[in-house]
């Protein structure tokens, strides 16, 4: 790994000031960035740790929303979101393994936008708002394809505001070697309708399944989507599963999520 | 290079670290605590797990400089003060929870984290918690047995047999 200067500011303003340098990169749990720096896929000259910034950490209830700070670890979400938004806590508790959950963070996962990551499904599936140092971004505008997001250079996620659903669940079909989702579906029911977001399946990254949303909005019942099938065009195909297999899993995991929703 | 200070196994320590110095290198090369093993060095195997402020962390996937002031426990800290094996270590020996022993430091530390949070885990909970700790030798049965024994439970019958 190339060497770098490590800085740990205590305010968002100080972090953003250092990140104005094009050679600087944000750093949170390091569970994605350290392996990629070892592989020299990333070689920042300055690494700006965000974990010393108190205002970016923690879970807070705000009326009908749950606000999760970007540096809140998966383990902390699994523990602290449980009484407010159990489906989100359960999702966080299934990420990787206990050691990954000790360090990995919500903001790091969303900035990375791995096509098989779990959090993007919850963020898109709830229509959450991504709050950065500069603006607020709707989930529908945020995810722009595999490893691509609406974030600008030097922009950092500070928190995410999740509207708490009436009922929700995340159903993850585990890819046991990587521990990511082979296909995962987050379903959330609101008074205004149902949202369904799918991760792990598409070459375009996380996406909403409109047909299932329409069917579930008129009847929140796993049988109401029993006849739907998702096309396999653009689905990921690798040694773990063909495009057709993943397309099939999209429906199966959506049904499992609907049955599990509470 | 700057000095990074931590408390390791209850002792205040200080060693030089660059930005890129991993916690695993800080412990092994900086402090000579070679009980922590580096297996994959890619965040996959869990051989390098230590406790940081009581929580399990892959020491190959954390920078020492990020952990200034942290309390770290390594496998060396699991022995009794007189140097004899601690409860978890003794159970791994008694139940043959190791063969080559390479994964064992991480297994012992993950077990310590599990039992701190859940003192009487079920077999299923043990297997689930140790998912990030890979062993190429034992087939896991005896590891699970050792963890059950270390938690003071019956290690005799496991469901998968
Ligand atoms: C063995 C293993 C298993 C895993 N399993 C899963 C899984 O099942 N599901 C899953 O979803 N993930 C999984 N992950 C990934 C894990 O969740 C990571 O923690 C996460 O993807 C990255 O978060 P981080 O805090 O570690 O970010 P880092 O690695 O520190 O950073 C990742 C990227 O995000 C940027 N960044 C970090 N924070 C911010 C911010 N606030 N604003 C802007 N940019 C930022 C960094 O510059 C970097 O580019 C796994 C990882 C490992 C090693
Ligand atoms: S050596 Fe750290 S996870 Fe394998
Ligand atoms: S005992 Fe050899 S890897 Fe576990």
């Amino acid at each position: 790994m190339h060497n770098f200067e490590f800085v740990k500011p205590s305010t968002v303003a100080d972090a953003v000031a250092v990140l104005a340098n094009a050679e600087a990169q944000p750093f949170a749990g390091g569970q994605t960035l350290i392996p990629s720096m070892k592989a020299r896929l990333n070689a920042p000259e300055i690494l700006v740790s965000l974990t010393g910034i108190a205002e970016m950490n923690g879970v807070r209830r705000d009326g009908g929303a749950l606000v999760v700070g970007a540096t809140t670890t998966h383990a902390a979400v699994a523990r602290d979101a449980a009484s407010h938004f159990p489906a989100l806590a359960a999702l966080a508790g299934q990420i990787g393994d206990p050691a990954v959950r000790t360090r990995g963070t919500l903001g790091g996962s969303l900035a990375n936008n791995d096509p098989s990551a779990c959090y993007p499904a919850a963020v898109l599936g709830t229509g959450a708002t991504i709050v950065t140092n500069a603006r607020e971004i709707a989930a529908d505008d945020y995810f722009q394809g595999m490893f691509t997001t609406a974030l600008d250079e030097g922009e950092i996620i500070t928190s995410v505001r999740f509207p708490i659903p009436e009922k929700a669940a995340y159903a993850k079909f585990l890819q046991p070697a990587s521990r990511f989702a082979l296909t995962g579906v987050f379903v959330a029911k609101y008074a205004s309708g149902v949202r369904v977001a799918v991760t792990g399946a598409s070459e375009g990254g996380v996406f909403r399944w409109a047909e299932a949303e329409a069917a579930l909005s008129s009847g929140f019942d796993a049988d109401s989507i029993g006849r739907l099938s998702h096309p396999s065009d653009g689905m990921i195909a690798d040694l773990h599963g063909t495009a057709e297999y993943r397309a099939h899993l999209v429906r199966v995991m959506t049904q499992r999520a609907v049955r599990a929703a509470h | 290079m700057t000095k990074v200070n931590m408390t390791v196994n209850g002792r205040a320590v200080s060693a030089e670290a660059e930005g890129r110095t991993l916690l695993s290198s800080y412990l092994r090369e900086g402090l000579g605590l070679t009980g922590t093993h580096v297996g994959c060095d890619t965040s996959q195997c869990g051989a390098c797990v230590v406790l940081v402020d009581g929580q399990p962390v892959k020491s190959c996937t954390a920078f020492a400089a990020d952990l200034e002031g942290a309390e770290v426990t390594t496998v060396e800290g699991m022995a009794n003060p007189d140097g004899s094996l601690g409860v978890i270590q003794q159970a791994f020996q008694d139940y043959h929870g190791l063969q080559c022993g390479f994964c064992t430091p991480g297994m012992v530390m993950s077990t310590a984290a599990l039992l701190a949070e859940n003192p009487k885990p079920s077999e299923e909970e043990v297997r689930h918690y140790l998912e990030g700790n890979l062993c190429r030798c034992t087939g896991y049965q005896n590891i699970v047995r050792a963890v059950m024994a270390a938690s003071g439970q019956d290690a005799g019958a496991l469901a998968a047999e």
Side-chain angles (χ1 to χ4, degrees), chain A residues 25-26 28-33 74 96 104-105 111 117-118 157 172 179-180:
Chain A
Q25 190 173 348
Q31 302 303 292
T32 295
L33 192 49
H74 308 330
T105 70
C118 301
I157 303 172
K172 174 178 180 177
R179 317 220 57 76
F180 281 74

Side-chain angles (χ1 to χ4, degrees), chain B residues 33-49:
Chain B
L33 294 172
T34 53
T36 298
H37 288 174
V38 177
C40 65
D41 209 13
T42 59
S43 322
Q44 298 295 323
C45 76
C48 66
V49 167

Side-chain angles (χ1 to χ4, degrees), chain A residues 125-199:
Chain A
T126 55
T129 303
I130 287 126
V131 182
T132 77
N133 59 297
R135 57 186 166 143
E136 300 201 344
I137 310 171
D140 286 313
D141 302 324
Y142 177 82
F143 299 101
Q144 303 192 342
M146 232 184 228
F147 300 112
T148 311
T149 71
L151 289 178
D152 290 329
E153 275 303 309
E155 182 173 13
I156 57 174
I157 303 172
T158 54
S159 67
V160 177
R161 200 164 58 238
F162 293 93
I164 299 174
E166 290 169 8
K167 282 182 172 188
Y170 176 61
K172 174 178 180 177
F173 194 93
L174 187 70
Q175 200 282 69
S178 74
R179 317 220 57 76
F180 281 74
L182 187 65
T183 291
V185 177
F186 196 94
V187 169
K189 181 177 185 295
Y190 293 93
S192 56
V194 175
R195 290 176 68 108
V196 176
V198 181
T199 189

